[in-house]
Amino acid sequence: MKITCGDRFLGLVGAWFLHRYSSQWDARLWGADSAFYPKSRNPGGPYMYAFWHEYILLPVSFFGHCNVATITSKHHDAEIATLLSRHMGFRIFRGSTTRGGTEALRSLLAAGKEGAHLTMMPDGPKGPRRTMSLGTVYAASKLGFPIIPTGMGVSHAWRANSWDRFAIPKPFSRIRFVMKDAIFVPDRLSRKELEEYRGLAEEKLHEVTLDAENWALTGNERSGEVALDHRPMYVKAYRIP
């Protein structure tokens, strides 16, 4: 798959635009344990952050340069998004269920063994929407990484006419992240046992997503909430308290 000069240019411009555009949003994070926060001064982990595909613009905007790795599709339509995410500070491995998925997953697991946080969109790349696949809990079991179900919400957004109803926050929207529970998946589980953990993780992800969406709509203050300051992309050492 050839990456053109046009792709590279659009990826760079897209990263610059997203950085500038997302700086208008009021972004806040709340969780049961500050060690879950990717930008914490004393982060725990490494963790496996799981969130729904429709909200991918939000972590890309706020959690770059935090030693986070993920997988994107090898389809050319994902090329610009991949280059944009790399400019924003993420490690990206390319693969899908039909093209290079096994190799990409191996690379992702290797990055995890080296200490990188991982992100998984368990209903991507084609859905069904908000239904967790087994891959996330399988990877967590193999690596021993706690799954952090990460709820996200937007007060005002345009929604794409796509399978995931992809969210594009409007200017000056409230963006909310909720990280409340960690799920530990033991190694060497049977498929039936993995399915039980998959159901648990899906339930928790629904729970924190609904919490974050309601919080974004109401805008209520929460004790212990953290404002996600928007620093320039080149300040890689930025951390929140």
Side-chain angles (χ1 to χ4, degrees):
M1 181 173 50
K2 184 178 180 180
I3 302 174
T4 67
C5 291
D7 291 337
R8 296 181 187 279
F9 176 75
L10 289 174
L12 180 60
V13 171
W16 177 86
F17 176 80
L18 179 60
H19 175 73
R20 301 296 296 178
Y21 181 66
S22 59
S23 66
Q24 304 173 31
W25 303 337
D26 171 24
R28 297 175 185 273
L29 182 155
W30 179 86
D33 187 340
S34 62
F36 295 166
Y37 305 167
K39 283 187 173 179
S40 173
R41 291 186 184 277
N42 298 294
Y47 298 119
M48 182 174 292
Y49 297 98
F51 55 90
W52 298 129
H53 192 275
E54 65 204 74
Y55 286 127
I56 189 173
L57 279 182
L58 309 186
V60 168
S61 298
F62 291 99
F63 296 123
H65 303 298
C66 293
N67 194 22
V68 176
T70 191
I71 291 178
T72 62
S73 169
K74 270 196 172 183
H75 196 280
H76 188 265
D77 291 347
E79 194 66 62
I80 307 302
T82 298
L83 292 168
L84 181 155
S85 298
R86 284 175 174 160
H87 284 302
M88 297 293 281
F90 291 84
R91 295 176 65 182
I92 308 293
F93 301 103
R94 307 295 304 278
S96 65
T97 54
T98 56
R99 298 177 61 194
T102 301
E103 180 182 348
L105 182 58
R106 286 174 180 165
S107 297
L108 187 69
L109 295 178
K113 290 178 180 178
E114 293 170 1
H117 298 296
L118 307 184
T119 65
M120 302 290 279
M121 291 164 283
D123 58 343
K126 296 182 179 180
R129 180 178 184 244
R130 297 196 179 188
T131 299
M132 180 171 282
S133 67
L134 201 60
T136 299
V137 293
Y138 174 78
S141 173
K142 286 298 182 183
L143 285 171
F145 283 16
I147 298 174
I148 308 298
T150 304
M152 303 181 194
V154 181
S155 60
H156 302 89
W158 293 289
R159 290 280 182 170
N161 185 24
S162 58
W163 67 267
D164 62 348
R165 299 191 64 228
F166 188 80
I168 304 174
K170 295 181 179 181
F172 310 109
S173 293
R174 289 187 296 271
I175 309 296
R176 298 294 184 264
F177 297 85
V178 174
M179 300 176 180
K180 191 160 56 176
D181 299 300
I183 299 173
F184 297 86
V185 184
D187 192 11
R188 298 181 181 179
L189 297 180
S190 67
R191 187 175 182 86
K192 180 180 179 181
E193 291 170 324
L194 284 172
E195 176 59 31
E196 292 174 355
Y197 276 95
R198 186 210 65 80
L200 172 63
E202 181 179 275
E203 179 183 348
K204 291 294 184 181
L205 184 49
H206 281 306
E207 179 184 314
V208 292
T209 298
L210 180 61
D211 188 12
E213 290 176 335
N214 288 336
W215 184 22
L217 289 174
T218 62
N220 294 334
E221 293 186 4
R222 290 192 173 187
S223 176
E225 69 180 35
V226 173
L228 295 176
D229 194 0
H230 224 286
R231 300 296 176 95
M233 284 183 292
Y234 54 80
V235 182
K236 297 183 180 181
Y238 167 57
R239 293 289 186 271
I240 58 178

mmCIF file of all heavy atoms in Angstrom, residues 79-115:
data_model
loop_
_atom_site.group_PDB
_atom_site.id
_atom_site.type_symbol
_atom_site.label_atom_id
_atom_site.label_comp_id
_atom_site.label_asym_id
_atom_site.label_seq_id
_atom_site.Cartn_x
_atom_site.Cartn_y
_atom_site.Cartn_z
ATOM 1 N N GLU A 79 -6.011 5.794 5.782
ATOM 2 C CA GLU A 79 -4.633 6.271 5.691
ATOM 3 C C GLU A 79 -4.459 7.639 6.337
ATOM 4 O O GLU A 79 -3.523 7.869 7.105
ATOM 5 C CB GLU A 79 -4.203 6.334 4.225
ATOM 6 C CG GLU A 79 -2.712 6.479 4.045
ATOM 7 C CD GLU A 79 -1.968 5.247 4.535
ATOM 8 O OE1 GLU A 79 -2.173 4.159 3.993
ATOM 9 O OE2 GLU A 79 -1.179 5.397 5.487
ATOM 10 N N ILE A 80 -5.356 8.568 6.022
ATOM 11 C CA ILE A 80 -5.242 9.928 6.554
ATOM 12 C C ILE A 80 -5.381 9.915 8.075
ATOM 13 O O ILE A 80 -4.614 10.559 8.792
ATOM 14 C CB ILE A 80 -6.294 10.864 5.933
ATOM 15 C CG1 ILE A 80 -6.236 10.807 4.400
ATOM 16 C CG2 ILE A 80 -6.105 12.285 6.428
ATOM 17 C CD1 ILE A 80 -4.894 11.166 3.827
ATOM 18 N N ALA A 81 -6.370 9.142 8.564
ATOM 19 C CA ALA A 81 -6.581 9.058 10.008
ATOM 20 C C ALA A 81 -5.368 8.472 10.712
ATOM 21 O O ALA A 81 -4.997 8.896 11.815
ATOM 22 C CB ALA A 81 -7.819 8.219 10.303
ATOM 23 N N THR A 82 -4.726 7.494 10.070
ATOM 24 C CA THR A 82 -3.532 6.878 10.657
ATOM 25 C C THR A 82 -2.386 7.875 10.747
ATOM 26 O O THR A 82 -1.729 8.008 11.788
ATOM 27 C CB THR A 82 -3.105 5.664 9.814
ATOM 28 O OG1 THR A 82 -4.152 4.692 9.818
ATOM 29 C CG2 THR A 82 -1.833 5.047 10.365
ATOM 30 N N LEU A 83 -2.138 8.590 9.665
ATOM 31 C CA LEU A 83 -1.063 9.582 9.662
ATOM 32 C C LEU A 83 -1.362 10.704 10.648
ATOM 33 O O LEU A 83 -0.475 11.180 11.364
ATOM 34 C CB LEU A 83 -0.889 10.146 8.248
ATOM 35 C CG LEU A 83 -0.344 9.140 7.211
ATOM 36 C CD1 LEU A 83 -0.482 9.705 5.807
ATOM 37 C CD2 LEU A 83 1.106 8.798 7.494
ATOM 38 N N LEU A 84 -2.618 11.129 10.710
ATOM 39 C CA LEU A 84 -3.026 12.168 11.663
ATOM 40 C C LEU A 84 -2.731 11.704 13.088
ATOM 41 O O LEU A 84 -2.160 12.459 13.889
ATOM 42 C CB LEU A 84 -4.516 12.461 11.471
ATOM 43 C CG LEU A 84 -5.173 13.536 12.347
ATOM 44 C CD1 LEU A 84 -6.400 14.101 11.625
ATOM 45 C CD2 LEU A 84 -5.611 12.984 13.704
ATOM 46 N N SER A 85 -3.115 10.473 13.408
ATOM 47 C CA SER A 85 -2.920 9.968 14.768
ATOM 48 C C SER A 85 -1.442 9.879 15.119
ATOM 49 O O SER A 85 -1.047 10.156 16.270
ATOM 50 C CB SER A 85 -3.569 8.581 14.908
ATOM 51 O OG SER A 85 -4.963 8.652 14.692
ATOM 52 N N ARG A 86 -0.611 9.514 14.151
ATOM 53 C CA ARG A 86 0.828 9.471 14.417
ATOM 54 C C ARG A 86 1.375 10.861 14.699
ATOM 55 O O ARG A 86 2.221 11.042 15.581
ATOM 56 C CB ARG A 86 1.541 8.825 13.235
ATOM 57 C CG ARG A 86 1.366 7.309 13.194
ATOM 58 C CD ARG A 86 1.957 6.677 11.961
ATOM 59 N NE ARG A 86 1.891 5.209 12.035
ATOM 60 C CZ ARG A 86 1.963 4.405 10.991
ATOM 61 N NH1 ARG A 86 2.124 4.913 9.773
ATOM 62 N NH2 ARG A 86 1.885 3.099 11.147
ATOM 63 N N HIS A 87 0.900 11.865 13.963
ATOM 64 C CA HIS A 87 1.324 13.240 14.228
ATOM 65 C C HIS A 87 0.871 13.691 15.619
ATOM 66 O O HIS A 87 1.552 14.496 16.261
ATOM 67 C CB HIS A 87 0.764 14.195 13.172
ATOM 68 C CG HIS A 87 1.464 14.138 11.858
ATOM 69 N ND1 HIS A 87 2.817 14.385 11.723
ATOM 70 C CD2 HIS A 87 1.013 13.871 10.601
ATOM 71 C CE1 HIS A 87 3.174 14.264 10.453
ATOM 72 N NE2 HIS A 87 2.099 13.954 9.758
ATOM 73 N N MET A 88 -0.263 13.164 16.077
ATOM 74 C CA MET A 88 -0.786 13.547 17.390
ATOM 75 C C MET A 88 -0.104 12.773 18.527
ATOM 76 O O MET A 88 -0.381 13.025 19.694
ATOM 77 C CB MET A 88 -2.292 13.310 17.444
ATOM 78 C CG MET A 88 -3.101 14.151 16.464
ATOM 79 S SD MET A 88 -3.080 15.921 16.818
ATOM 80 C CE MET A 88 -4.281 16.019 18.150
ATOM 81 N N GLY A 89 0.775 11.818 18.187
ATOM 82 C CA GLY A 89 1.578 11.180 19.222
ATOM 83 C C GLY A 89 1.188 9.771 19.594
ATOM 84 O O GLY A 89 1.413 9.353 20.736
ATOM 85 N N PHE A 90 0.642 8.994 18.648
ATOM 86 C CA PHE A 90 0.254 7.618 18.919
ATOM 87 C C PHE A 90 1.081 6.648 18.070
ATOM 88 O O PHE A 90 1.468 6.971 16.955
ATOM 89 C CB PHE A 90 -1.242 7.406 18.606
ATOM 90 C CG PHE A 90 -2.154 8.124 19.549
ATOM 91 C CD1 PHE A 90 -2.464 9.457 19.345
ATOM 92 C CD2 PHE A 90 -2.681 7.474 20.651
ATOM 93 C CE1 PHE A 90 -3.301 10.142 20.223
ATOM 94 C CE2 PHE A 90 -3.516 8.142 21.528
ATOM 95 C CZ PHE A 90 -3.826 9.477 21.319
ATOM 96 N N ARG A 91 1.317 5.458 18.615
ATOM 97 C CA ARG A 91 1.950 4.378 17.851
ATOM 98 C C ARG A 91 0.837 3.590 17.176
ATOM 99 O O ARG A 91 -0.076 3.088 17.838
ATOM 100 C CB ARG A 91 2.751 3.472 18.775
ATOM 101 C CG ARG A 91 3.934 4.164 19.436
ATOM 102 C CD ARG A 91 4.626 3.241 20.426
ATOM 103 N NE ARG A 91 5.231 2.083 19.758
ATOM 104 C CZ ARG A 91 5.864 1.110 20.421
ATOM 105 N NH1 ARG A 91 5.963 1.161 21.745
ATOM 106 N NH2 ARG A 91 6.393 0.098 19.777
ATOM 107 N N ILE A 92 0.917 3.467 15.857
ATOM 108 C CA ILE A 92 -0.152 2.848 15.092
ATOM 109 C C ILE A 92 0.369 1.617 14.356
ATOM 110 O O ILE A 92 1.413 1.670 13.703
ATOM 111 C CB ILE A 92 -0.751 3.825 14.055
ATOM 112 C CG1 ILE A 92 -1.154 5.141 14.723
ATOM 113 C CG2 ILE A 92 -1.928 3.183 13.343
ATOM 114 C CD1 ILE A 92 -2.295 5.037 15.690
ATOM 115 N N PHE A 93 -0.375 0.520 14.459
ATOM 116 C CA PHE A 93 -0.100 -0.681 13.685
ATOM 117 C C PHE A 93 -1.291 -0.913 12.767
ATOM 118 O O PHE A 93 -2.439 -0.768 13.167
ATOM 119 C CB PHE A 93 0.126 -1.879 14.607
ATOM 120 C CG PHE A 93 1.260 -1.676 15.570
ATOM 121 C CD1 PHE A 93 1.015 -1.370 16.902
ATOM 122 C CD2 PHE A 93 2.570 -1.761 15.146
ATOM 123 C CE1 PHE A 93 2.058 -1.171 17.790
ATOM 124 C CE2 PHE A 93 3.631 -1.558 16.028
ATOM 125 C CZ PHE A 93 3.375 -1.264 17.347
ATOM 126 N N ARG A 94 -0.987 -1.291 11.512
ATOM 127 C CA ARG A 94 -2.023 -1.397 10.494
ATOM 128 C C ARG A 94 -2.468 -2.833 10.306
ATOM 129 O O ARG A 94 -1.662 -3.727 10.123
ATOM 130 C CB ARG A 94 -1.507 -0.863 9.142
ATOM 131 C CG ARG A 94 -0.911 0.529 9.181
ATOM 132 C CD ARG A 94 -1.931 1.589 9.549
ATOM 133 N NE ARG A 94 -3.090 1.598 8.655
ATOM 134 C CZ ARG A 94 -3.115 2.199 7.466
ATOM 135 N NH1 ARG A 94 -2.029 2.810 7.009
ATOM 136 N NH2 ARG A 94 -4.212 2.191 6.724
ATOM 137 N N GLY A 95 -3.785 -3.041 10.318
ATOM 138 C CA GLY A 95 -4.319 -4.370 10.071
ATOM 139 C C GLY A 95 -5.814 -4.392 10.281
ATOM 140 O O GLY A 95 -6.385 -3.503 10.915
ATOM 141 N N SER A 96 -6.490 -5.403 9.726
ATOM 142 C CA SER A 96 -7.935 -5.569 9.881
ATOM 143 C C SER A 96 -8.246 -7.050 9.871
ATOM 144 O O SER A 96 -7.347 -7.903 9.790
ATOM 145 C CB SER A 96 -8.678 -4.861 8.740
ATOM 146 O OG SER A 96 -8.385 -5.470 7.501
ATOM 147 N N THR A 97 -9.521 -7.373 9.938
ATOM 148 C CA THR A 97 -9.912 -8.780 9.973
ATOM 149 C C THR A 97 -9.598 -9.488 8.667
ATOM 150 O O THR A 97 -9.484 -10.717 8.621
ATOM 151 C CB THR A 97 -11.418 -8.901 10.261
ATOM 152 O OG1 THR A 97 -12.132 -8.099 9.307
ATOM 153 C CG2 THR A 97 -11.733 -8.436 11.666
ATOM 154 N N THR A 98 -9.449 -8.728 7.575
ATOM 155 C CA THR A 98 -9.214 -9.345 6.263
ATOM 156 C C THR A 98 -7.816 -9.095 5.724
ATOM 157 O O THR A 98 -7.362 -9.806 4.836
ATOM 158 C CB THR A 98 -10.233 -8.819 5.238
ATOM 159 O OG1 THR A 98 -10.163 -7.385 5.181
ATOM 160 C CG2 THR A 98 -11.648 -9.216 5.625
ATOM 161 N N ARG A 99 -7.092 -8.088 6.252
ATOM 162 C CA ARG A 99 -5.781 -7.749 5.703
ATOM 163 C C ARG A 99 -4.793 -7.434 6.820
ATOM 164 O O ARG A 99 -4.844 -6.374 7.426
ATOM 165 C CB ARG A 99 -5.885 -6.526 4.769
ATOM 166 C CG ARG A 99 -6.769 -6.738 3.553
ATOM 167 C CD ARG A 99 -6.870 -5.457 2.747
ATOM 168 N NE ARG A 99 -5.564 -5.025 2.263
ATOM 169 C CZ ARG A 99 -5.341 -3.812 1.768
ATOM 170 N NH1 ARG A 99 -6.284 -2.908 1.714
ATOM 171 N NH2 ARG A 99 -4.124 -3.501 1.335
ATOM 172 N N GLY A 100 -3.912 -8.367 7.109
ATOM 173 C CA GLY A 100 -2.816 -8.108 8.044
ATOM 174 C C GLY A 100 -3.201 -8.001 9.497
ATOM 175 O O GLY A 100 -2.424 -7.498 10.309
ATOM 176 N N GLY A 101 -4.396 -8.499 9.870
ATOM 177 C CA GLY A 101 -4.853 -8.345 11.243
ATOM 178 C C GLY A 101 -4.011 -9.102 12.247
ATOM 179 O O GLY A 101 -3.687 -8.598 13.315
ATOM 180 N N THR A 102 -3.628 -10.333 11.908
ATOM 181 C CA THR A 102 -2.834 -11.147 12.834
ATOM 182 C C THR A 102 -1.471 -10.514 13.093
ATOM 183 O O THR A 102 -1.011 -10.422 14.241
ATOM 184 C CB THR A 102 -2.653 -12.565 12.267
ATOM 185 O OG1 THR A 102 -3.935 -13.155 12.063
ATOM 186 C CG2 THR A 102 -1.846 -13.413 13.227
ATOM 187 N N GLU A 103 -0.829 -10.043 12.020
ATOM 188 C CA GLU A 103 0.486 -9.411 12.166
ATOM 189 C C GLU A 103 0.387 -8.135 12.994
ATOM 190 O O GLU A 103 1.237 -7.864 13.853
ATOM 191 C CB GLU A 103 1.048 -9.086 10.777
ATOM 192 C CG GLU A 103 2.419 -8.430 10.816
ATOM 193 C CD GLU A 103 2.918 -8.067 9.424
ATOM 194 O OE1 GLU A 103 2.322 -8.522 8.427
ATOM 195 O OE2 GLU A 103 3.916 -7.333 9.351
ATOM 196 N N ALA A 104 -0.663 -7.344 12.748
ATOM 197 C CA ALA A 104 -0.840 -6.103 13.501
ATOM 198 C C ALA A 104 -1.085 -6.389 14.978
ATOM 199 O O ALA A 104 -0.557 -5.693 15.851
ATOM 200 C CB ALA A 104 -1.997 -5.295 12.911
ATOM 201 N N LEU A 105 -1.897 -7.425 15.266
ATOM 202 C CA LEU A 105 -2.166 -7.772 16.663
ATOM 203 C C LEU A 105 -0.896 -8.233 17.360
ATOM 204 O O LEU A 105 -0.652 -7.874 18.512
ATOM 205 C CB LEU A 105 -3.243 -8.858 16.730
ATOM 206 C CG LEU A 105 -3.657 -9.292 18.142
ATOM 207 C CD1 LEU A 105 -4.158 -8.108 18.949
ATOM 208 C CD2 LEU A 105 -4.716 -10.391 18.075
ATOM 209 N N ARG A 106 -0.068 -9.001 16.664
ATOM 210 C CA ARG A 106 1.204 -9.419 17.259
ATOM 211 C C ARG A 106 2.081 -8.213 17.576
ATOM 212 O O ARG A 106 2.726 -8.160 18.629
ATOM 213 C CB ARG A 106 1.923 -10.357 16.297
ATOM 214 C CG ARG A 106 1.326 -11.765 16.218
ATOM 215 C CD ARG A 106 2.006 -12.579 15.152
ATOM 216 N NE ARG A 106 1.441 -13.932 15.057
ATOM 217 C CZ ARG A 106 1.647 -14.745 14.054
ATOM 218 N NH1 ARG A 106 2.430 -14.376 13.044
ATOM 219 N NH2 ARG A 106 1.101 -15.949 14.042
ATOM 220 N N SER A 107 2.122 -7.245 16.654
ATOM 221 C CA SER A 107 2.921 -6.039 16.881
ATOM 222 C C SER A 107 2.379 -5.246 18.056
ATOM 223 O O SER A 107 3.131 -4.701 18.872
ATOM 224 C CB SER A 107 2.927 -5.167 15.622
ATOM 225 O OG SER A 107 3.527 -5.835 14.540
ATOM 226 N N LEU A 108 1.033 -5.184 18.159
ATOM 227 C CA LEU A 108 0.408 -4.463 19.266
ATOM 228 C C LEU A 108 0.735 -5.139 20.595
ATOM 229 O O LEU A 108 1.086 -4.471 21.576
ATOM 230 C CB LEU A 108 -1.100 -4.409 19.054
ATOM 231 C CG LEU A 108 -1.894 -3.551 20.051
ATOM 232 C CD1 LEU A 108 -1.575 -2.074 19.840
ATOM 233 C CD2 LEU A 108 -3.387 -3.782 19.906
ATOM 234 N N LEU A 109 0.644 -6.461 20.632
ATOM 235 C CA LEU A 109 0.966 -7.186 21.863
ATOM 236 C C LEU A 109 2.440 -7.020 22.230
ATOM 237 O O LEU A 109 2.789 -6.901 23.413
ATOM 238 C CB LEU A 109 0.628 -8.659 21.705
ATOM 239 C CG LEU A 109 -0.855 -9.000 21.528
ATOM 240 C CD1 LEU A 109 -1.032 -10.505 21.345
ATOM 241 C CD2 LEU A 109 -1.676 -8.500 22.696
ATOM 242 N N ALA A 110 3.309 -6.988 21.212
ATOM 243 C CA ALA A 110 4.734 -6.766 21.473
ATOM 244 C C ALA A 110 4.964 -5.388 22.080
ATOM 245 O O ALA A 110 5.774 -5.227 23.002
ATOM 246 C CB ALA A 110 5.535 -6.911 20.180
ATOM 247 N N ALA A 111 4.245 -4.381 21.569
ATOM 248 C CA ALA A 111 4.361 -3.029 22.137
ATOM 249 C C ALA A 111 3.895 -3.021 23.587
ATOM 250 O O ALA A 111 4.484 -2.354 24.447
ATOM 251 C CB ALA A 111 3.536 -2.041 21.305
ATOM 252 N N GLY A 112 2.840 -3.792 23.873
ATOM 253 C CA GLY A 112 2.367 -3.895 25.249
ATOM 254 C C GLY A 112 3.402 -4.527 26.166
ATOM 255 O O GLY A 112 3.617 -4.073 27.297
ATOM 256 N N LYS A 113 4.067 -5.552 25.672
ATOM 257 C CA LYS A 113 5.100 -6.206 26.481
ATOM 258 C C LYS A 113 6.279 -5.270 26.751
ATOM 259 O O LYS A 113 7.015 -5.460 27.716
ATOM 260 C CB LYS A 113 5.575 -7.473 25.774
ATOM 261 C CG LYS A 113 4.533 -8.585 25.765
ATOM 262 C CD LYS A 113 5.014 -9.808 25.005
ATOM 263 C CE LYS A 113 3.963 -10.909 25.003
ATOM 264 N NZ LYS A 113 4.377 -12.093 24.223
ATOM 265 N N GLU A 114 6.449 -4.276 25.863
ATOM 266 C CA GLU A 114 7.507 -3.285 26.058
ATOM 267 C C GLU A 114 7.071 -2.158 26.992
ATOM 268 O O GLU A 114 7.846 -1.247 27.282
ATOM 269 C CB GLU A 114 7.915 -2.689 24.711
ATOM 270 C CG GLU A 114 8.589 -3.693 23.785
ATOM 271 C CD GLU A 114 8.766 -3.152 22.381
ATOM 272 O OE1 GLU A 114 8.371 -1.985 22.138
ATOM 273 O OE2 GLU A 114 9.276 -3.888 21.519
ATOM 274 N N GLY A 115 5.810 -2.188 27.452
ATOM 275 C CA GLY A 115 5.345 -1.210 28.426
ATOM 276 C C GLY A 115 4.392 -0.164 27.904
ATOM 277 O O GLY A 115 3.982 0.726 28.656
#
